[in-house]
Amino acid sequence: MNKDLLLFEKSRPGRRTLRLGELDVPAARLDALPAGSLRETPPKLPEIGELELVRHFVRLSKKNVSIADSFYPLGSCTMKYNPLLNESAAAIEGFRDIHPLQDPGRLQGALAIMKRLEETLAAITGLEAVTLHPAAGAQGELAALLVAHKHFARMGQSQRTKVLIPDSAHGTNPASASLAGLTALEVKSGPDGLVDLADLESKLGADTAVFMITNPSTLGLFETNIARISELVHAAGGLVYMDGANMNAIMGIARPVDFGVDMMHLNLHKTFSTPHGGGGPGAGPICVTAELEPYLPAPRIVENDSGLHLDYDIPHSIGMLRGFAGNFGVLLRAYCYLRRLGAEGIQRVAENAVLNANYLRVKLRDAYHVPFDSICMHEFVCNNRNQREQGVHTLDIAKRLIDMGHHPMTIYFPLVVNEAMMIEPTETEAKETLDAFIEDMLQVAREAEENPERLHAAPCTTPVGRLDEGRAVREPILRYNFSD
Ligand SMILES: *Cc1c(COP(=O)(O)O)cnc(C)c1O
């Protein structure tokens, strides 16, 4: 049998994995249902035996790549290991089977965990107020920009509509500014990869709403002038927003509030260990100063005489961005992770994330050009400058790594580096894994010299080989042709 058929194609009438016993309760009266709600034909669900079913999904899972089977240095995405303990906590019935519309009296445990998570994130960032509402980092950015906009409107400063964003920022930053109805304005980086202060000063003014900085940046650099930058932005009447998706490099070591940050988001699904390879669910809490708290999205978790509850009636709030209070399963995992590590553990995470990235940077910098070659944070960026003469592109290097059993690094991003390769090992990898990756990267560099054709042909071990990516975009095949 063709191994790649769909379950629907493998279906044979009458096949079952399970047969239900005789009904021992009265059958529902079908005529009690509203007219028109009964289907005329049975649903076309696959009918299949258990063994075929198990093989089908195991086969599919083997085509997947995850942190559970390979090194995954996908820069900016923080593909760290997510402890299994978090998963067992998220599966506890009392947490798994609750609903936000239940009587708050029966939700006290869950609400207490959310409240404590808010307090822990406030302690890590130094910012007073936290909302767990946003479902992703990008939604956190949007929420915070709406908060800023509302704040300025209430202060009679609606003319503040410009969001200044360095060119080394994450791509979601300008997108969020635009979605919030504000105007993104690019600030240049200097030759050291840091914000060009003169360019920033020339763009600050009475129309400045927010200076939005990814710190550490997508180049893996900590913005050493950040305190001075915050002073300049505040003097111009603007707010400082920090994209804190890279907080894994500095948590427990530096508090954003101490270098002038007014608002920021955190990516619980990156820094605080929730699986996110499949694109979600995630959580992008935002942390803000007390001054900005009244505008945070509803609901807020508040305490009164009868305990904790979700308050949807927040007079100056920007409102709701999604259903209910947040992705609770993700929040629970983050809480579990933080409790397990404690303050000291959080600091060690950051130290090891930085140590691992610098280890790779120093071991690889002779083979691969590192344009901003100074001590990096949790990630660093190199490129193919040394391989270009052989006609080897960053894409070839990334594809060859797949044959060697590694997930490739992030490629062609950030845009400020030509043909970038952005490498983030995370703190959860052992030295042996890093050494194996280094060895393979050096092997690829040798192949680029001696046998570049080999790189152009990669990958050779995957179910699908090298695609014509241009054609895939222009003539995408989006439908599967059923064989039935
Ligand atoms: C991942 C990331 C984002 C976006 O977060 P999502 O949860 O994917 O929306 C924003 N900024 C930086 C620096 C990131 O790494």
Side-chain angles (χ1 to χ4, degrees):
M1 193 198 254
N2 183 336
K3 290 181 178 176
D4 284 330
L5 291 182
L6 301 183
L7 281 182
F8 293 92
E9 294 166 297
K10 291 180 182 169
S11 175
R12 294 292 174 274
R15 294 257 168 93
R16 292 281 181 279
T17 63
L18 180 77
R19 281 176 207 282
L20 295 175
E22 286 299 310
L23 209 56
D24 58 357
V25 292
R29 280 182 40 237
L30 293 183
D31 59 6
L33 292 171
S37 65
L38 282 183
R39 46 188 318 151
E40 276 155 22
T41 50
K44 240 184 148 183
L45 295 174
E47 298 178 74
I48 194 157
E50 182 166 338
L51 178 55
E52 268 309 306
L53 185 71
V54 167
R55 282 190 183 145
H56 178 80
F57 285 111
V58 171
R59 249 178 230 136
L60 284 184
S61 74
K62 284 186 187 163
K63 293 184 182 175
N64 199 12
V65 172
S66 81
I67 186 72
D69 58 21
S70 54
F71 183 49
Y72 210 135
L74 193 66
S76 202
C77 296
T78 313
M79 305 307 285
K80 65 164 79 171
Y81 171 68
N82 310 293
L84 289 176
L85 183 69
N86 305 352
E87 296 307 310
S88 18
I92 295 172
E93 235 171 278
F95 289 132
R96 192 190 57 201
D97 297 342
I98 54 175
H99 192 280
L101 293 181
Q102 245 174 284
D103 168 14
R106 310 196 60 173
L107 295 175
Q108 290 301 301
L111 291 171
I113 281 184
M114 291 169 73
K115 191 81 194 149
R116 285 191 208 161
L117 178 61
E118 285 186 0
E119 287 161 7
T120 312
L121 300 180
I124 290 172
T125 60
L127 289 157
E128 286 97 335
V130 178
T131 173
L132 307 171
H133 185 75
Q139 199 178 33
E141 294 169 21
L142 174 65
L145 291 172
L146 294 174
V147 162
H149 190 53
K150 191 128 193 192
H151 164 71
F152 286 126
R154 202 155 157 243
M155 302 212 328
Q157 296 183 30
S158 303
Q159 87 287 356
R160 293 193 180 272
T161 55
K162 297 278 192 304
V163 182
L164 308 187
I165 304 176
D167 55 14
S168 62
H170 194 265
T172 50
N173 297 179
S176 299
S178 162
L179 257 186
L182 303 168
T183 310
L185 208 62
E186 188 172 281
V187 178
K188 288 195 191 70
S189 299
D192 52 2
L194 301 178
V195 171
D196 178 336
L197 286 184
D199 192 51
L200 170 65
E201 281 194 82
S202 74
K203 287 171 182 162
L204 284 169
D207 60 356
T208 302
V210 177
F211 174 69
M212 196 174 191
I213 183 167
T214 304
N215 190 31
S217 71
T218 58
L219 292 168
L221 301 178
F222 185 82
E223 186 60 56
T224 45
N225 294 320
I226 185 69
R228 174 80 189 122
I229 288 172
S230 296
E231 273 173 26
L232 292 171
V233 174
H234 290 152
L239 294 169
V240 176
Y241 180 87
M242 183 174 119
D243 176 332
N246 298 334
M247 195 66 189
N248 55 326
I250 60 172
M251 62 182 176
I253 296 170
R255 294 189 321 163
V257 76
D258 295 328
F259 46 79
V261 169
D262 302 293
M263 331 181 261
M264 64 180 292
H265 80 262
L266 294 163
N267 289 59
L268 297 192
H269 46 290
K270 292 178 181 169
T271 312
F272 301 105
S273 109
T274 280
H276 63 287
I286 55 173
C287 313
V288 302
T289 57
E291 191 190 13
L292 297 171
E293 179 170 13
Y295 313 105
L296 289 179
R300 304 279 299 135
I301 305 165
V302 294
E303 186 152 24
N304 60 16
D305 292 344
S306 50
L308 295 163
H309 66 278
L310 295 172
D311 188 354
Y312 287 83
D313 184 22
I314 313 288
H316 298 294
S317 166
I318 58 165
M320 291 180 75
L321 296 170
R322 60 188 303 280
F324 305 114
N327 277 332
F328 180 68
V330 176
L331 307 178
L332 185 57
R333 288 175 175 90
Y335 180 71
C336 199
Y337 177 72
L338 284 164
R339 289 299 301 223
R340 188 181 181 189
L341 285 174
E344 206 185 294
I346 288 296
Q347 183 180 340
R348 216 162 48 237
V349 164
E351 287 166 358
N352 286 334
V354 171
L355 183 63
N356 281 359
N358 279 288
Y359 183 62
L360 290 186
R361 178 181 61 83
V362 170
K363 291 283 189 181
L364 293 177
R365 70 177 166 197
D366 291 336
Y368 297 93
H369 176 62
V370 178
F372 301 101
D373 195 13
S374 54
I375 298 274
C376 64
M377 293 284 109
H378 59 301
E379 66 194 2
F380 73 101
V381 175
C382 57
N383 74 0
N384 69 331
R385 198 176 83 176
N386 303 346
Q387 288 74 33
R388 223 168 275 162
E389 234 168 70
Q390 275 70 43
V392 169
H393 290 280
T394 281
L395 185 70
D396 302 317
I397 297 167
K399 296 290 185 194
R400 182 74 181 117
L401 281 174
I402 298 175
D403 283 339
M404 296 172 153
H406 307 292
H407 191 288
M409 63 290 272
T410 294
I411 56 174
Y412 298 94
F413 184 80
L415 303 175
V416 283
V417 170
N418 193 14
E419 295 210 31
M421 289 184 260
M422 186 195 215
I423 301 179
E424 177 178 16
T426 85
E427 77 283 358
T428 55
E429 298 296 341
K431 180 169 178 292
E432 295 72 31
T433 307
L434 302 182
D435 285 335
F437 177 70
I438 291 163
E439 210 170 285
D440 287 340
M441 280 293 280
L442 299 180
Q443 164 78 16
V444 173
R446 278 194 299 276
E447 287 177 3
E449 298 263 329
E450 295 156 11
N451 185 9
E453 272 320 303
R454 175 140 205 205
L455 303 192
H456 297 316
C460 305
T461 59
T462 47
V464 179
R466 182 81 72 103
L467 296 173
D468 178 341
E469 294 185 357
R471 219 177 124 212
V473 171
R474 269 179 249 118
E475 299 166 35
I477 301 169
L478 302 173
R479 293 189 65 139
Y480 180 85
N481 287 319
F482 279 84
S483 61
D484 82 343

